[in-house]
Amino acid sequence: MRIGVFCSGGDAPGMNACIRAVVRRAISDGHEVVGINRGYQGLLDEDFFVTEASEPTMSLRSVSGWARFGGSFLRSSRSPEFRTDAGQFKAVANLAKHRIDALIPIGGDGTFHGAVDLAKHWSGRIVGCPGTIDNDLMGTDFTIGFSTAVQTAVEAVDKIRDTAESHERMFLVEVMGRHSGFIAVHTALAASAECVCIPETKTDIPAIVRDLHELKARGKTSVMMIVAEGDEEGDAAKLNEELKAAGNPFSTRCVILGHLQRGGSPSPEDRILASSVGDFAVQSILEGHTGMMAGIVGGQPTLTPFEDTYAEHKPIPSELSSLIERLAR
Ligand code: F6P
């Protein structure tokens, strides 16, 4: 069997470890792997990974040392062309031309929407791996890249706390998460932040200002507020203005961590998760599964239909949010 592997959507630390696992498992079981560059767009452009020996299929050696690197050696993209019917027909033609029998897309909800669209026109098997720093997919406890992104954000907030204390300031630190507060909540708890604003809960400006006055009265000299970029009330700059207008007693600064969170060497957790789901995705394809994401739930490799990974909003454990509030004294 010839399996195509690619990364799509926002890159995530651990994608390379996942590709490595796919290549090693598939070749060990007697199959071939085609590395597709630049996601769905690369499939349309017939942009494939070529080994140093100019071979069109990946070798055991071509992924040596990949697990420790962030980013994606196969690169990644979002492809407007693939979203069209014409794009999907072209993708099917290219899959046939290059004799690809199965695909392993590594990405988030946009990637899996693409897989569902492709499956309407193509009878090959597709089993995906959850690669996104947002941790917003159902069917897996964590997604590849989330642990590293949180680690990066926590290291940044720790550093910001130093200057915040020196200047007795409040910082609003904006983290990624367009539709999800997972990075914000985990960062806030790990970095002992006093406040967190996420899209899943209502951001109540007057209530936050009341809390800030209480914290100041209790002798707090610095405050960290973690803001998910997709908070329904606005981004860090907008929240800062609103807090100021409502009587925030602290002097403030805003920091946007942005794409910093998408880079860096993957954490051991991300490497282990990526290796496990990459290996499991190959196994699942060989067993005949298709239309599924390979995830890990409660330590168990688990297959979830693509549609179910994004149909529902993955809930943030409410005990984490209340723990942040309880400890922010
Ligand atoms: O989905 C992953 C993610 O990093 C989001 O958290 C963020 O909103 C988005 O991608 C940013 O995408 P881009 O790299 O296209 O700016």
Side-chain angles (χ1 to χ4, degrees):
M1 183 172 260
R2 184 176 265 211
I3 301 172
V5 62
F6 64 89
C7 298
S8 164
D11 62 349
M15 281 180 158
N16 288 322
C18 190
I19 299 164
R20 171 180 174 272
V22 167
V23 170
R24 292 275 165 93
R25 172 69 194 259
I27 295 178
S28 306
D29 283 13
H31 303 278
E32 287 182 328
V33 179
V34 175
I36 301 167
N37 292 323
R38 297 168 32 249
Y40 289 108
Q41 192 57 47
L43 181 55
L44 299 178
D45 298 341
E46 298 177 73
D47 180 359
F48 300 120
F49 179 92
V50 180
T51 64
E52 278 179 14
S54 303
E55 297 293 336
T57 55
M58 299 182 82
S59 66
L60 291 171
R61 292 283 70 75
S62 61
V63 291
S64 290
W66 280 27
R68 69 180 185 276
F69 290 101
S72 162
F73 288 127
L74 294 182
R75 284 166 275 149
S76 190
S77 72
R78 297 189 172 95
S79 170
E81 187 185 348
F82 179 76
R83 289 197 200 111
T84 64
D85 280 342
Q88 287 154 27
F89 290 135
K90 190 170 169 192
V92 171
N94 286 345
L95 287 164
K97 181 171 168 191
H98 294 274
R99 298 184 292 104
I100 295 173
D101 309 296
L103 281 176
I104 299 188
I106 307 168
D109 60 338
T111 305
F112 297 158
H113 269 104
V116 169
D117 288 341
L118 183 63
K120 290 177 190 149
H121 314 289
W122 187 57
S123 58
R125 296 176 199 165
I126 316 178
V127 174
C129 294
T132 165
I133 64 166
D134 292 350
N135 196 34
D136 58 351
L137 294 170
M138 298 293 283
T140 190
D141 290 338
F142 295 105
T143 55
I144 298 165
F146 172 68
S147 153
T148 310
V150 170
Q151 183 175 302
T152 301
V154 169
E155 282 166 12
V157 175
D158 285 349
K159 288 183 175 138
I160 295 167
R161 180 74 87 168
D162 290 345
T163 175
E165 284 187 350
S166 307
H167 288 268
E168 302 184 28
R169 277 176 176 154
M170 168 174 172
F171 275 79
L172 291 90
V173 182
E174 187 178 301
V175 296
M176 275 188 164
R178 242 186 314 217
H179 309 293
S180 171
F182 267 99
I183 296 176
V185 165
H186 279 244
T187 300
L189 188 52
S192 309
E194 283 74 13
C195 184
V196 61
C197 299
I198 55 174
E200 290 84 352
T201 56
K202 187 180 155 27
T203 298
D204 182 343
I205 298 289
I208 294 173
V209 171
R210 272 198 305 279
D211 287 348
L212 291 171
H213 278 283
E214 270 181 33
L215 290 175
K216 191 151 193 141
R218 247 184 254 132
K220 275 258 177 191
T221 51
S222 72
V223 172
M224 291 291 135
M225 177 189 272
I226 311 300
V227 181
E229 64 176 335
D231 186 65
E232 83 295 346
E233 191 64 32
D235 58 14
K238 179 155 182 281
L239 288 185
N240 188 27
E241 288 311 314
E242 289 183 15
L243 290 172
K244 211 182 278 182
N248 184 359
F250 288 94
S251 138
T252 59
R253 293 287 187 275
C254 292
V255 175
I256 300 172
L257 295 185
H259 290 77
L260 186 76
Q261 297 155 93
R262 290 238 297 256
S265 178
S267 67
E269 286 84 356
D270 276 331
R271 297 183 199 189
I272 292 166
L273 172 64
S275 303
S276 306
V277 295
D279 178 85
F280 180 49
V282 174
Q283 181 185 315
S284 304
I285 279 176
L286 299 179
E287 286 171 356
H289 296 282
T290 188
M292 301 281 179
M293 181 194 78
I296 303 286
V297 178
Q300 294 307 312
T302 304
L303 290 176
T304 302
F306 284 131
E307 292 90 338
D308 294 351
T309 65
Y310 52 70
E312 265 179 60
H313 190 88
K314 186 174 183 175
I316 308 270
S318 57
E319 61 273 17
L320 294 186
S321 306
S322 42
L323 186 55
I324 294 167
E325 268 178 45
R326 256 201 320 281
L327 301 184
R329 298 274 141 192

